[in-house]
């Protein structure tokens, strides 16, 4: 297991299009987190899963954002009707409860 | 509420010690973390400290925690040019699935 894997590494999309990012966590980790990082800022929490259950989603930025983890393994984050303000780095992390996170390298989204 | 603050920038000469400071607000955090981020990369966990500790040393890294003042610091001894990066402190919210709240990051520049 090589760690947390995120795909794609970069995504350029036109405003109004939908995008989907994938995260493959470390296989033994039952928690999976999504964060967003804009330029010059620290990462901002979006949502997390314990196994397949999404236990916190109130911090998703708008109803255009949704996440799934259908079988408790990989996860997807979808942004519908993208806006220029959605341009950011989207980071995924996984962990055991009460242990530190392992972050992936992120997906950089550019909305033009 | 949660708020983590850091100074924006620190410049040191190679071989000197660096001290990066952080203040946090959530007194119930059980762990506090330091992450390193190099350009275009994800977050690398450097070290962490449990809230009932005052100090933790790990090779060139020393973490000091003043729980009364909610102040955390990271000291890097014998700073090298490879230490140039952005350093984030983060507090954990145990009531929200171990959600991390990050500071805005301190950019460390090491001059040869």
């Amino acid at each position: 297991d090589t760690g947390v894997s995120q795909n794609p590494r970069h995504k350029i999309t036109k405003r109004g299009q939908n995008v989907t990012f994938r995260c493959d966590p470390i296989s033994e980790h039952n928690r999976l987190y999504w964060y967003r990082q804009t330029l010059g800022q620290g990462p901002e929490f979006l949502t997390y899963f314990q196994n397949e259950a999404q236990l916190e989603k109130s911090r998703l930025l708008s109803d255009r954002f949704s996440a799934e983890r259908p079988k408790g393994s990989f996860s997807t984050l979808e942004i519908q009707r993208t806006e220029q303000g959605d341009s950011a780095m989207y980071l995924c992390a996984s962990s055991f409860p009460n242990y530190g996170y392992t972050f992936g390298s992120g997906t950089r989204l550019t909305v033009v | 509420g949660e708020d983590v603050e850091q100074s924006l920038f620190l410049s040191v000469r190679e071989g000197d010690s660096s001290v990066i400071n952080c203040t946090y607000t959530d007194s119930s955090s059980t762990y506090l973390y330091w992450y390193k981020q190099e350009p275009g990369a994800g977050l690398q966990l450097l070290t962490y400290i449990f809230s009932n500790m005052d100090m933790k040393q790990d090779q060139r890294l020393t973490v000091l925690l003043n729980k009364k003042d909610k102040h955390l610091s990271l000291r890097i001894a014998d700073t090298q040019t490879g230490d140039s990066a952005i350093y984030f402190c983060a507090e954990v919210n145990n009531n929200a699935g171990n959600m991390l709240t990050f500071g805005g990051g301190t950019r460390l520049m090491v001059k040869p």
Side-chain angles (χ1 to χ4, degrees):
Chain A
D1 196 343
T2 56
V4 178
S5 175
Q6 291 189 246
N7 288 287
R9 289 296 307 274
H10 300 94
K11 177 72 177 177
I12 300 174
T13 191
K14 291 184 178 179
R15 192 172 47 189
Q17 297 293 305
N18 300 342
V19 294
T20 300
F21 312 139
R22 177 177 170 127
C23 173
D24 288 90
I26 292 173
S27 55
E28 302 86 23
H29 288 177
N30 60 354
R31 284 194 176 170
L32 186 148
Y33 303 81
W34 285 99
Y35 283 76
R36 183 179 86 154
Q37 186 178 23
T38 53
L39 202 60
Q41 302 294 319
E44 172 188 22
F45 173 82
L46 295 178
T47 188
Y48 92 99
F49 294 84
Q50 180 149 314
N51 301 312
E52 65 275 10
Q54 190 174 12
L55 297 185
E56 174 59 61
K57 57 181 178 180
S58 65
R59 298 196 185 220
L60 285 168
L61 299 162
S62 78
D63 58 7
R64 298 184 297 106
F65 287 70
S66 63
E68 293 184 342
R69 194 183 184 196
K71 296 181 181 177
S73 57
F74 74 91
S75 175
T76 57
L77 177 70
E78 182 182 17
I79 309 173
Q80 296 182 327
R81 305 181 303 281
T82 52
E83 301 173 357
Q84 285 190 319
D86 297 333
S87 295
M89 175 79 88
Y90 290 84
L91 294 164
C92 175
S94 68
S95 79
F96 288 118
N98 301 319
Y99 281 77
Y101 292 14
T102 301
F103 278 90
S105 297
T107 294
R108 181 168 295 283
L109 173 66
T110 302
V111 182
V112 297
Chain B
E2 311 129 2
D3 196 14
V4 180
E5 295 190 353
Q6 302 178 235
S7 52
L8 286 177
F9 187 76
L10 176 65
S11 178
V12 300
R13 293 217 171 269
E14 192 173 19
D16 288 349
S17 292
S18 307
V19 179
I20 301 171
N21 294 301
C22 171
T23 57
Y24 63 97
T25 56
D26 187 354
S27 59
S28 67
S29 290
T30 51
Y31 290 92
L32 294 138
Y33 296 90
W34 284 103
Y35 282 86
K36 176 183 180 182
Q37 188 175 39
E38 297 184 75
L43 293 158
Q44 174 194 353
L45 177 63
L46 278 181
T47 187
Y48 64 92
I49 188 166
F50 191 51
S51 61
N52 68 354
M53 299 169 66
D54 298 323
M55 186 182 85
K56 180 179 179 182
Q57 188 149 2
D58 184 0
Q59 299 181 353
R60 292 191 298 123
L61 304 178
T62 303
V63 179
L64 295 178
L65 175 60
N66 181 330
K67 202 172 179 185
K68 174 176 169 288
D69 294 338
K70 298 191 184 71
H71 183 267
L72 182 72
S73 68
L74 174 70
R75 179 177 180 269
I76 305 172
D78 187 25
T79 314
Q80 302 297 305
T81 54
D83 294 325
S84 293
I86 301 176
Y87 291 80
F88 293 95
C89 66
E91 62 178 2
V92 64
N93 184 332
N94 300 109
N95 296 321
N98 290 0
M99 175 190 88
L100 292 180
T101 299
F102 286 85
T106 299
R107 181 178 293 277
L108 174 65
M109 178 180 290
V110 183
K111 298 177 182 176

